């Protein structure tokens, strides 16, 4: 740039000229207009995006959120090392799963026994306070995952266990017996292992390497308790 | 030289300016002649912009503030200091609690004055859930042998187990620590343990009950008592060996009372768990459950043929 500003035609000077010395030689012609609009290309795109979410139909809004939740369910069912669950976290999926689980696991109101299955509130509290405790634990151990990202992952990875509960309910409609129990036990163990693998795939990388086991063990305990509640469920 | 004198004058001016901008910079008392010059060298070299100066200044401010004391209890990093353990350290502490040796205090040898809260918290949580789960499993196994026993998930036992274990693991160390602080005047040689160290060794001493509770599934009574006594002996021995250097200098009466109180409380916990979660099962058979079993949609346990004396209600499907 500095060289271009140097005026040509001068006899070869050995000393280098200082920067921008030749600027004074450039003359600005009067005919070139130096005015106009400066448009930033990004801005128009953002404006377009804003107006589209305000003016779009309700169906579009709902379908967009449902698709996001559905995509995350797919990520849980086929766990790969991807960042989708972590980047765009949301708590809709965990809420839906938790409410489903609690509704199906609660004992009926006609049951007046003291020692029955868990109440709705007990299941709800166990799931959410368990997830919060595990998140706090992993943050205290020095993990670099955010609070809500961790809640999101733990909540979404309850999906296999919810599927196990549905299967158990169906199996319980059939003829009872030890085979019934073995089938339920097998299904619950498989889904428990799937949950652990799915959540570890997402969470393990966020921990320092010499503390991975310390952060994964509470996740194991959490899913074990939920699996136990599912296995001991009697309608 | 005039230029160096000018530079020296600028030094003081800019240093005071910078200090005025960041009033919470701590002034170091130890002599570090390079530091102020280093700051000023950067300030002069970066030219006019004060933005870069502020960034560098805040970095150096942070460095200067490092020798300050621990962060307050309202900050997150205060609690992070209690979870500053690695997997290998936790495993080592668990091993140390399983095999107590006379003369080796758990606190001095394994904690090494760095107590953690990870171990006690998760050992208590595991113990509470394992107690509830195995207690329920004993009912299941008993029902297989004797179908007259009523089975139910017994979820309220989880709550009871959790509250009991956590209260024991926090209130008893609190009382012990308070008592030792009160008797601090009698001891000359050894300082008392901090509250966290007390909680820590109590928490780790509960670890041995986890495999014991799982072994209590075996329905042979004398074997259960044997395992219980073994676990209690190991756990209480660990506690006594840890506390011995502290109470040794006290009067014999106080020392023996304290140690026997500790062992007694531990034994009460073990026996309470055994009786509440692993009830002798004929007692359960007489529970009032059979009154409202007509409300249950009970299903027959198929392998055994239906016995005529057990009508609807006391048969449940597993």
């Amino acid at each position: 740039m500095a060289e271009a500003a140097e005026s040509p035609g001068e006899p070869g000077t050995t000393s280098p000229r200082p920067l921008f010395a030749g600027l004074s030689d450039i003359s600005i012609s009067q005919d070139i207009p130096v005015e106009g609009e400066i448009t930033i290309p990004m801005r128009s795109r953002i404006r377009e995006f804003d107006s589209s979410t305000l003016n779009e139909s309700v169906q579009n809004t709902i379908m967009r959120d449902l698709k996001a939740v559905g995509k995350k369910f797919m990520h849980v069912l086929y766990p790969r090392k991807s960042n989708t669950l972590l980047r765009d976290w949301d708590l809709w999926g965990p809420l839906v799963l938790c409410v489903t689980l609690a509704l199906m696991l609660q004992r009926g109101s006609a049951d007046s026994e003291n020692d029955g299955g868990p109440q709705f509130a007990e299941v709800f509290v166990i799931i959410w306070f368990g997830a919060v405790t595990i998140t706090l634990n992993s943050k205290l151990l020095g993990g670099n995952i955010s609070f809500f990202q961790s809640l999101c992952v733990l909540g979404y990875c309850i999906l296999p266990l919810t599927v196990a509960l549905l299967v158990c309910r169906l199996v319980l409609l059939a003829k009872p017996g030890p085979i019934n129990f073995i089938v339920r036990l097998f299904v619950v163990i498989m889904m428990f292992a799937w949950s652990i693998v799915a959540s570890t795939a997402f969470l393990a990388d966020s921990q320092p390497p010499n503390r991975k086991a310390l952060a994964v063990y509470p996740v194991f305990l959490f899913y074990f308790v939920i699996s136990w509640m599912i296995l001991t469920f009697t309608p | 030289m005039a230029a160096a004198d000018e530079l020296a004058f600028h030094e003081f001016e800019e240093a005071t300016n910078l200090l005025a901008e960041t009033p919470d910079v701590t002034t170091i008392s130890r002599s570090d002649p390079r530091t102020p010059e280093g700051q000023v060298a950067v300030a002069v070299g970066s030219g006019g912009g004060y933005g870069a100066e502020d960034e560098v200044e805040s970095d150096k401010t942070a460095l200067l503030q490092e020798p300050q004391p621990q962060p307050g209890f309202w900050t997150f990093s205060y609690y992070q200091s209690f979870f500053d353990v690695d997997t290998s350290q936790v495993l080592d502490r668990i091993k140390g609690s399983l095999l107590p040796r006379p003369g080796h205090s758990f606190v001095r040898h394994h904690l090494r004055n760095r107590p953690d809260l990870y171990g006690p918290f998760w050992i208590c949580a595991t113990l509470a859930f394992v107690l509830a789960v195995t207690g329920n499993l004993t009912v299941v196994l008993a029902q297989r042998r004797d179908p007259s026993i009523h089975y139910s998930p017994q979820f309220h036992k989880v709550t009871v187990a959790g509250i009991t274990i956590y209260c024991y693991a926090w209130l008893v160390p609190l009382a012990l620590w308070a008592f030792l602080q009160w008797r601090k005047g009698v001891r000359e040689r050894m300082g008392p343990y901090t509250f966290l160290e007390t909680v820590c060794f109590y928490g780790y001493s509960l670890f041995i009950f986890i495999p014991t509770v799982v072994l209590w599934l075996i329905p042979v009574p004398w074997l259960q008592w044997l395992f219980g006594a073994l676990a209690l002996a190991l756990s209480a021995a660990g506690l006594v060996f840890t506390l011995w250097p502290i109470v040794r200098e006290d009067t014999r009466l106080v020392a023996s009372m304290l140690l026997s109180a500790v062992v007694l409380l531990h034994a009460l916990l073990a026996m309470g768990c055994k009786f509440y979660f692993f009830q002798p099962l004929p007692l359960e058979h007489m529970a009032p459950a059979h009154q409202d079993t007509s409300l249950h949609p009970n299903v027959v346990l198929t392998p055994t043929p239906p016995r005529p004396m057990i009508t609807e209600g006391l048969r449940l499907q597993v």
Side-chain angles (χ1 to χ4, degrees):
Chain A
M1 279 298 180
E3 285 87 31
E6 272 179 279
S7 55
E10 272 203 5
T13 50
T14 49
S15 62
R17 303 190 54 181
L19 272 174
F20 304 123
L23 267 181
S24 49
D25 297 323
I26 296 176
S27 62
I28 297 177
S29 152
Q30 301 297 328
D31 337 322
I32 302 175
V34 194
E35 60 185 59
E37 272 184 36
I38 300 176
T39 54
I40 307 170
M42 273 305 232
R43 187 184 268 183
S44 60
R45 228 183 290 153
I46 290 173
R47 219 180 285 138
E48 189 184 275
F49 184 66
D50 273 345
S51 63
S52 67
T53 58
L54 275 176
N55 294 335
E56 70 180 6
S57 64
V58 174
Q59 183 193 5
N60 278 356
T61 314
I62 293 180
M63 286 310 296
R64 190 174 56 237
D65 280 334
L66 277 181
K67 278 199 197 115
V69 169
K71 207 161 73 146
K72 292 200 188 70
F73 278 156
M74 284 299 124
H75 272 277
V76 168
L77 288 179
Y78 302 106
R80 285 181 299 266
K81 281 201 187 295
S82 85
N83 278 337
T84 311
L85 261 185
L86 290 181
R87 241 194 349 242
D88 322 310
W89 61 266
D90 74 88
L91 292 179
W92 280 114
L95 181 67
V96 163
L97 287 173
C98 177
V99 167
T100 313
L101 212 60
L103 275 176
M104 291 204 288
L105 276 177
Q106 65 173 340
R107 58 175 178 259
S109 53
D111 189 326
S112 56
E113 271 185 40
N114 198 14
D115 46 310
Q119 297 278 13
F120 179 92
E122 286 172 340
V123 179
F124 207 83
V125 160
I126 280 191
I127 292 181
W128 284 104
F129 272 89
V132 166
T133 311
I134 296 176
T135 308
L136 278 179
N137 176 65
S138 75
K139 282 185 81 75
L140 284 169
L141 282 174
N144 59 359
I145 194 172
S146 100
F147 184 75
F148 287 108
Q149 283 173 345
S150 173
L151 279 186
C152 170
V153 169
L154 288 168
Y156 270 102
C157 290
I158 297 181
L159 177 68
L161 287 170
T162 311
V163 170
L165 179 60
L166 289 170
V167 171
C168 281
R169 275 213 102 141
L170 290 175
V171 170
L172 279 172
L173 292 173
K175 191 172 76 93
I179 304 208
N180 199 312
F181 179 68
I182 299 285
V183 168
R184 280 188 295 141
L185 182 69
F186 179 69
V187 166
V188 169
I189 288 181
M190 286 292 306
M191 293 302 171
F192 167 64
W194 199 338
S195 284
I196 301 259
V197 165
S199 61
T200 315
F202 295 114
L203 287 178
D205 291 333
S206 66
Q207 290 296 322
N210 50 348
R211 295 182 186 183
K212 279 205 169 62
L214 293 185
V216 169
Y217 171 71
V219 177
F220 173 86
L221 191 63
F222 177 62
Y223 288 128
F224 179 77
V225 170
I226 298 180
S227 311
W228 177 255
M229 289 197 292
I230 292 175
L231 192 58
T232 60
F233 169 71
T234 50
Chain B
M1 289 178 287
D5 285 345
E6 264 183 75
L7 206 56
F9 182 70
H10 274 295
E11 262 182 36
F12 285 120
E13 207 170 61
E14 289 196 353
T16 47
N17 284 345
L18 292 170
L19 277 173
E21 278 168 18
T22 57
D24 43 342
V25 167
T26 57
T27 55
I28 347 172
S29 53
R30 52 178 192 266
S31 59
D32 195 3
R34 286 194 332 134
T35 322
E37 287 163 28
Q39 286 176 350
V40 176
V42 172
V44 170
S46 65
Y50 265 82
E53 273 177 359
D54 278 347
E55 280 172 359
V56 178
E57 180 55 34
S58 63
D59 282 346
K60 296 215 181 275
T61 315
L63 279 174
L64 284 175
Q65 274 177 341
E66 246 169 19
Q68 269 184 357
Q70 232 185 355
F73 67 89
W74 57 89
T75 59
F76 190 71
S77 42
Y78 176 75
Y79 298 101
Q80 232 171 355
S81 60
F82 302 142
F83 281 77
D84 195 14
V85 276
D86 296 337
T87 313
S88 54
Q89 284 178 334
V90 170
L91 290 176
D92 173 60
R93 290 172 187 194
I94 289 176
K95 267 198 295 247
S97 78
L98 285 176
L99 306 164
R101 282 186 292 170
H104 280 245
S105 158
F106 180 74
V107 174
R108 296 291 169 237
H109 283 257
H110 292 275
L111 292 188
R112 300 225 171 105
N113 299 334
R114 290 185 60 206
D116 70 300
L117 280 181
Y118 178 91
F121 183 79
W122 288 109
I123 290 177
C124 292
T126 311
L127 186 60
F129 284 120
V130 166
L131 267 175
V133 166
T134 49
N136 207 359
L137 265 179
T138 48
V139 181
V140 170
L141 292 178
Q143 200 208 8
R144 299 196 146 264
R145 288 175 284 121
D146 179 11
S148 61
I149 294 174
H150 177 70
Y151 165 77
S152 59
Q154 289 175 328
F155 193 75
H156 68 287
K157 292 204 166 169
V158 173
T159 323
V160 171
I163 294 178
T164 317
I165 302 284
Y166 272 103
C167 281
Y168 181 81
W170 285 86
L171 294 180
V172 172
L174 182 66
L176 183 67
W177 172 76
F179 183 78
L180 288 177
Q181 289 286 93
W182 177 50
R183 303 289 300 175
K184 198 165 57 169
V186 181
R187 283 185 300 277
E188 311 97 27
R189 255 197 307 167
M190 207 164 156
Y193 296 136
T194 67
F195 174 59
L196 274 172
E197 289 172 343
T198 321
V199 167
C200 201
F201 76 74
Y202 253 91
Y204 278 105
S205 76
L206 287 176
F207 179 80
I208 185 138
F209 286 113
I210 297 177
T212 312
V213 164
V214 174
L215 285 173
W216 274 346
L217 277 176
I218 304 172
V220 179
W222 63 266
L223 205 60
Q224 287 180 344
W225 283 110
L226 179 68
F227 286 138
L230 200 63
L232 181 64
L234 276 176
S235 191
L239 289 178
V240 165
F241 294 147
T242 307
L243 285 173
W244 179 243
I246 300 284
V247 299
R248 182 169 52 192
E249 296 142 24
D250 221 332
T251 64
R252 292 201 80 122
L253 178 66
V254 171
S256 56
M257 266 180 45
L258 183 69
L259 290 177
S260 52
V262 162
V263 173
L264 189 67
L265 279 173
H266 224 64
L268 275 179
L269 179 78
M271 292 209 310
C273 286
K274 167 109 182 36
F275 280 124
Y276 184 68
F277 294 100
F278 299 88
Q279 275 166 357
L281 288 159
L283 276 174
E284 238 183 315
H285 180 49
M286 297 188 285
H290 63 266
Q291 285 164 4
D292 41 359
T293 46
S294 52
L295 296 171
H296 287 281
N298 285 323
V299 192
V300 176
L301 185 66
T302 349
T304 59
R307 297 191 218 162
M309 52 183 186
I310 306 167
T311 49
E312 79 252 41
L314 293 183
R315 289 171 299 190
L316 236 127
Q317 166 207 15
V318 171

